[in-house]
Amino acid sequence: HYIICSASSSSSSSYLLSCMICADDDENDDDDIARMSEKTFPLTTTSGDEERGGGGKEESIFSVVVKRHKDHNFVAFEIDSRTTVDEVFERCVNDAKKGAAFVLKRTMKLIVGGKTVTAEDGKKAFVDVVPKKKGTKITAMMLDGMPTMTGMSSTGASLVAEKRRREAKEKMMKRKEEEEEEEGRRTKEKTSAAEKKSFSSSSSVWEKTGICSSQNSGLDALPMAALEALRADAKVKVFDFSFNLIANVPNSVFTLQPLRTVTRISLPNNQLENAGIDFKVMFTNLKFLKYLDVSNNNLSGAMDIRIDSDEDEDGKQRPPLHLNLSRNRITSFTRSFFKCCPPLQLFDANENHICEPMEHYFVGSETTLARVNLANNKRIDTIPSSFKNMKSLQSLILDGNRIDKNGIPAVVLRQCERLSELSLKRNQVTIEELRELDGWMAYNERRVSRADKILDAKTMLGDASFREGADAERYARDF
């Protein structure tokens, strides 16, 4: 027997299948054909659209291949154009279980052509979510946040282990930080208690000795608690907080009753800036101050201090002041600085950046100023002729500047009757040029007389006491 079939389509979903069953007895073909039994079968197919109520649209079938870690064929299945993301994820989870792998739907992601698909896409059609591609094959890479229970790849295990190590390290660091904060708090409380006890002890010692001092102690601020604890009838003479990290001196320090008798303030090698110390308040309240050292700090720019008068209310002259401003970054001094500060006996501003004419310097200190040190400022090129009025000036140190023979007024050499030390080393003048200056003979007589007195007194003051005051050769400077 054999069957002859033909099919004809009446619609996109209905077909007629016609079958003729033939028996061949090899005797008469015509009779065989006549005996054909023809049957017609109506066939109807149901599309995915009709199953979902879509109205008879023909569906495309897509092949989905899911890779996971090094497994390039983790799961594979077919979907149509209406299969949702949820359904695809369910297939992945179910097929993973068949392979003894454990995957959670909520932590799973599929990456298709650079597009990340998650469970949040839910009811959307999978083929609408992923990038459009030619053909019907869709390749996806699975990322899941949960480890497989069995059959886990080495890469997945290492990722999970790394994540756990990272989380454990973060917890450990957080716990360590909390412990350090707690330890710091306890240490601070202990330190505070110890400081209070120490300050109480310090106040007692300071009252007995008249010396408020804490050198090289790492202080970043003055111990105000200890200073304020001083008895009102205490008479402090020395205020010394050298070699610390102090950047500010409160004005209230200068108004404390026990400190009004201070004669010496030492604050070198700190971090004081112009705004960190008020010279006006200091000089107004400390009437007995004789020595002020603020060297090697962060003072800079123009210096300008003001007080109302250089005499006390009872008419007594203020004591001459030794003022040390060396090793800062000062560029100039205003006229009011010298006019309004206490009369100076010693002025030291070496190793600064002074670069201005100095005719207004030392106004008000003509009869008291004995020693001036302006060495190593590198920019001073002239000795002002106004220095001739300083009747008490004995020593003028100007090493390391730019002074040449034209910057040395003869009137200063002649009329400064007590000037016996003029040092111009590392300047633009030689000793031969200095000897040729008008007024040199008068100055040299005083210099030799001073050297003779040193020899007669058998006092060792070093070879500088016998120098003539300049280099044998002109000093070459690069700036």
Side-chain angles (χ1 to χ4, degrees):
H1 294 75
Y2 56 91
I3 300 174
I4 300 175
C5 299
S6 65
S8 62
S9 173
S10 61
S11 68
S12 61
S13 59
S14 299
Y15 298 84
L16 291 178
L17 178 64
S18 299
C19 299
M20 291 183 291
I21 303 174
C22 304
D24 188 1
D25 56 6
D26 295 329
E27 293 180 355
N28 193 332
D29 292 339
D30 293 334
D31 293 339
D32 292 339
I33 295 173
R35 291 196 300 270
M36 284 184 180
S37 176
E38 181 176 343
K39 297 291 183 179
T40 300
F41 303 94
L43 300 178
T44 302
T45 61
T46 302
S47 69
D49 287 337
E50 291 178 337
E51 291 179 356
R52 299 178 180 86
K57 181 180 179 181
E58 185 177 1
E59 294 302 321
S60 299
I61 304 300
F62 298 89
S63 175
V64 178
V65 178
V66 180
K67 301 177 181 180
R68 184 170 184 260
H69 304 317
K70 293 184 177 181
D71 189 348
H72 290 264
N73 195 22
F74 181 61
V75 293
F77 49 85
E78 292 184 346
I79 63 172
D80 59 38
S81 60
R82 298 304 301 272
T83 304
T84 64
V85 173
D86 277 341
E87 292 172 343
V88 170
F89 276 35
E90 288 290 346
R91 288 292 304 272
C92 290
V93 171
N94 293 335
D95 288 8
K97 290 180 180 178
K98 295 177 183 179
F102 181 74
V103 178
L104 282 181
K105 180 180 176 182
R106 67 173 182 272
T107 61
M108 186 174 64
K109 297 179 182 178
L110 291 179
I111 299 178
V112 182
K115 169 73 174 180
T116 301
V117 182
T118 66
E120 295 179 356
D121 296 311
K123 300 301 181 182
K124 297 179 182 178
F126 185 76
V127 294
D128 292 339
V129 174
V130 301
K132 301 300 182 184
K133 295 181 64 176
K134 294 181 179 180
T136 59
K137 183 177 181 180
I138 300 175
T139 303
M141 174 63 71
M142 178 188 291
L143 299 177
D144 55 288
M146 296 297 293
T148 56
M149 300 303 293
T150 59
M152 180 168 57
S153 67
S154 60
T155 303
S158 63
L159 292 173
V160 172
E162 178 63 25
K163 181 179 179 181
R164 289 178 176 175
R165 284 195 296 269
R166 184 169 62 252
E167 292 175 349
K169 183 177 180 180
E170 290 175 354
K171 290 180 180 179
M172 182 182 68
M173 294 299 294
K174 184 177 181 181
R175 183 167 60 252
K176 184 177 180 180
E177 289 177 359
E178 292 175 351
E179 291 175 352
E180 289 178 351
E181 289 178 0
E182 180 64 19
E183 182 65 22
R185 185 184 63 79
R186 292 176 181 175
T187 302
K188 188 174 181 180
E189 291 177 354
K190 292 179 181 179
T191 303
S192 179
E195 286 179 350
K196 289 180 180 179
K197 184 177 179 180
S198 175
F199 289 158
S200 177
S201 175
S202 297
S203 298
S204 178
V205 173
W206 293 348
E207 290 170 353
K208 292 178 181 179
T209 62
I211 300 174
C212 292
S213 177
S214 183
Q215 300 179 8
N216 200 20
S217 302
L219 297 175
D220 57 4
L222 290 172
M224 294 303 298
L227 294 172
E228 292 171 352
L230 292 169
R231 296 196 318 268
D233 59 347
K235 295 187 181 299
V236 177
K237 297 294 184 182
V238 177
F239 186 87
D240 189 348
F241 288 87
S242 309
F243 297 94
N244 283 290
L245 303 172
I246 299 169
N248 180 59
V249 180
N251 288 342
S252 58
V253 171
F254 306 129
T255 61
L256 293 173
Q257 186 61 37
L259 297 181
R260 288 183 176 271
T261 56
V262 164
T263 61
R264 183 184 183 93
I265 293 180
S266 294
L267 291 168
N269 298 283
N270 278 284
Q271 296 182 0
L272 291 173
E273 297 182 356
N274 297 41
I277 182 168
D278 193 327
F279 291 99
K280 179 178 180 179
V281 175
M282 180 193 300
F283 291 135
T284 300
N285 291 277
L286 306 182
K287 304 292 186 179
F288 302 97
L289 187 62
K290 297 180 180 180
Y291 180 89
L292 174 61
D293 186 354
V294 287
S295 61
N296 201 21
N297 276 278
N298 295 326
L299 301 175
S300 61
M303 298 298 295
D304 186 11
I305 60 174
R306 298 175 181 273
I307 59 175
D308 297 332
S309 173
D310 63 348
E311 294 187 0
D312 292 346
E313 295 179 358
D314 57 5
K316 291 183 178 179
Q317 188 76 19
R318 291 172 64 91
L321 178 67
H322 287 215
L323 179 58
N324 190 347
L325 296 164
S326 62
R327 298 187 300 282
N328 282 285
R329 299 191 301 276
I330 300 169
T331 58
S332 62
F333 293 87
T334 63
R335 183 180 182 84
S336 60
F337 177 93
F338 298 104
K339 185 177 180 180
C340 301
C341 77
L344 299 171
Q345 186 173 33
L346 181 147
F347 181 81
D348 189 347
N350 83 86
E351 293 189 37
N352 277 281
H353 304 307
I354 298 171
C355 55
E356 64 172 344
M358 300 185 296
E359 293 291 340
H360 61 282
Y361 278 31
F362 313 125
V363 174
S365 300
E366 292 87 353
T367 61
T368 58
L369 188 58
R371 180 178 174 83
V372 174
N373 187 350
L374 292 168
N376 302 310
N377 276 275
K378 300 181 180 180
R379 294 293 186 271
I380 298 173
D381 57 11
T382 303
I383 300 174
S385 58
S386 60
F387 281 18
K388 68 182 180 180
N389 299 319
M390 293 190 288
K391 305 301 181 183
S392 299
L393 185 62
Q394 300 176 22
S395 176
L396 180 58
I397 311 300
L398 290 163
D399 299 334
N401 283 289
R402 282 181 165 181
I403 300 172
D404 59 18
K405 64 179 182 179
N406 297 321
I408 307 172
V411 67
V412 173
L413 297 177
R414 287 196 305 265
Q415 295 187 25
C416 287
E417 298 177 353
R418 302 189 65 181
L419 181 62
S420 58
E421 182 183 10
L422 175 63
S423 184
L424 295 166
K425 307 290 283 186
R426 302 188 308 283
N427 275 277
Q428 303 300 308
V429 61
T430 66
I431 186 60
E432 291 299 327
E433 292 172 335
L434 197 59
R435 290 169 182 165
E436 295 174 359
L437 291 176
D438 185 20
W440 168 259
M441 294 300 297
Y443 161 73
N444 195 51
E445 288 179 4
R446 296 190 298 271
R447 185 186 66 83
V448 173
S449 176
R450 172 175 175 266
D452 290 340
K453 290 179 181 179
I454 292 173
L455 292 173
D456 292 340
K458 297 181 180 181
T459 303
M460 299 302 294
L461 296 180
D463 58 354
S465 302
F466 304 99
R467 291 175 182 169
E468 289 187 272
D471 297 313
E473 297 180 358
R474 181 171 285 101
Y475 185 75
R477 192 174 295 282
D478 295 331
F479 52 82

